[in-house]
Amino acid sequence: QSCQCLAWKPRPVGLGGGPVESQHVVAGYSDGTVRVFSVSRTEMELKMHPHAAALTAIAYSTDGEMILSGGKDGIVAISSPRTGMTIHVLADHKGSPITVLQCTRKQYHDFGVEGGELWLATSSDRRVSVWGSDWLQDKCELLDWLSFPAPAGPEGLDSLPPSLAAFCPWEHGVLVYVGGGMQKEALFYITVGGGAGLQVLRKISLPAFATSLSLSPATPFMAIGFAASWPGPEPLLSGGGLLRLQPCPAGDPQDYAGHDDTVHLCRFAPSGRRLLTASHSAVLVWELTGA
């Protein structure tokens, strides 16, 4: 089976780097299984089978006590690595592959929902769901939806750039969304909860549709990757894939052309001082200097 996605288990708060013995990776596979590996022992510790379709996204809860997994069929499962049991199966995105799963801590009474976890799921049909959870009480409540109409095309959703979303580390209660639509832009939304819907806070214009996204956890910067071309009548950019470093909420972006192909992955280090990017033929590590 092929590994489709993976995530590091977060370290307990206050332990810093932590010993290597405590490091674990969870991976999602093409046969619908979720497997947990010990890094120090380089062996599999747990195998679960919460999905009937190939996995496309996976994440740990912020405390590492739950595993969130999303499949090609749009099903999201929440499983316990302690018991190996799947405690929730959510079909809200059914029919469209899950592209992003992300968790973040929240204030206990944010959005009128008990529990300390806020998480989002994004699917390729340009929909984002925002959830509040209390894992100890097995509670999982849908707070809001973000949904866009997809432009009509002969190849359907497969011809569109990926739908990507992330919680904003430096702005409380804000998420960022990029994806193929009518406009090439990054949208900042306030997650207001209570059924009031998501409100647009600001928009940042982009030179093309984004293919990857990462928000720095330490400084107000956003890294965005672009394709050299995308299926359609005309290419988005000439030459290789472009990497853009965008200051937020405003400022002049800095563009870099280190990749010869589509930049399909951007990921800031926890310190925010380094950025990893990947294309088909290269993995680059960038160091951020100055402010």
Side-chain angles (χ1 to χ4, degrees):
Q1 301 298 327
S2 59
C3 177
Q4 308 287 84
C5 48
L6 58 83
W8 286 92
K9 183 177 181 179
R11 308 293 176 83
V13 177
L15 292 186
V20 173
E21 289 76 12
S22 69
Q23 293 182 12
H24 288 82
V25 169
V26 64
Y29 281 77
S30 57
D31 61 352
T33 58
V34 171
R35 310 182 196 194
V36 178
F37 296 89
S38 165
V39 175
S40 60
R41 292 195 295 273
T42 61
E43 65 181 23
M44 184 175 68
E45 292 188 346
L46 177 66
K47 178 180 177 181
M48 302 178 284
H49 201 158
H51 294 272
L55 270 78
T56 52
I58 201 161
Y60 271 101
S61 61
T62 55
D63 60 7
E65 293 299 313
M66 291 294 167
I67 294 171
L68 290 74
S69 54
K72 190 175 181 179
D73 56 2
I75 299 298
V76 175
I78 299 168
S79 308
S80 168
R82 288 184 180 272
T83 65
M85 300 292 292
T86 298
I87 59 175
H88 291 289
V89 176
L90 307 172
D92 300 74
H93 289 268
K94 187 176 181 179
S96 184
I98 302 298
T99 54
V100 177
L101 290 167
Q102 186 194 5
C103 300
T104 187
R105 289 185 176 87
K106 71 178 184 65
Q107 299 299 314
Y108 193 76
H109 293 294
D110 279 358
F111 314 106
V113 178
E114 293 186 352
E117 191 98 336
L118 194 67
W119 62 275
L120 63 79
T122 308
S123 51
S124 61
D125 59 359
R126 295 170 51 76
R127 292 189 297 161
V128 182
S129 58
V130 181
W131 304 75
S133 293
D134 186 336
W135 305 123
L136 294 178
Q137 301 297 323
D138 288 344
K139 291 182 179 179
C140 191
E141 183 175 340
L142 178 64
L143 301 181
D144 266 317
W145 276 98
L146 173 62
S147 182
F148 293 101
E155 300 177 13
L157 293 173
D158 291 338
S159 66
L160 294 176
S163 296
L164 305 171
F167 289 112
C168 188
W170 60 82
E171 284 189 273
H172 182 67
V174 173
L175 68 82
V176 181
Y177 174 84
V178 294
M182 306 309 293
Q183 304 293 332
K184 302 177 180 71
E185 58 191 4
L187 300 170
F188 287 70
Y189 280 84
I190 303 173
T191 55
V192 294
L198 291 149
Q199 299 177 353
V200 178
L201 178 64
R202 73 179 67 91
K203 301 178 181 181
I204 295 179
S205 296
L206 302 176
F209 292 120
T211 54
S212 54
L213 172 72
S214 182
L215 278 64
S216 169
T219 54
F221 278 91
M222 179 168 59
I224 309 167
F226 300 97
S229 63
W230 197 265
E234 31 180 75
L236 300 181
L237 295 170
S238 59
L242 180 74
L243 172 67
R244 169 164 288 192
L245 192 64
Q246 174 70 56
C248 299
D252 295 330
Q254 303 169 44
D255 291 335
Y256 302 92
H259 285 281
D260 295 330
D261 203 346
T262 298
V263 184
H264 63 74
L265 177 72
C266 297
R267 193 74 78 241
F268 276 103
S271 66
R273 298 192 190 99
R274 290 187 176 179
L275 173 70
L276 180 142
T277 60
S279 62
H280 175 74
S281 58
V283 175
L284 302 181
V285 179
W286 309 75
E287 185 173 9
L288 281 71
T289 58

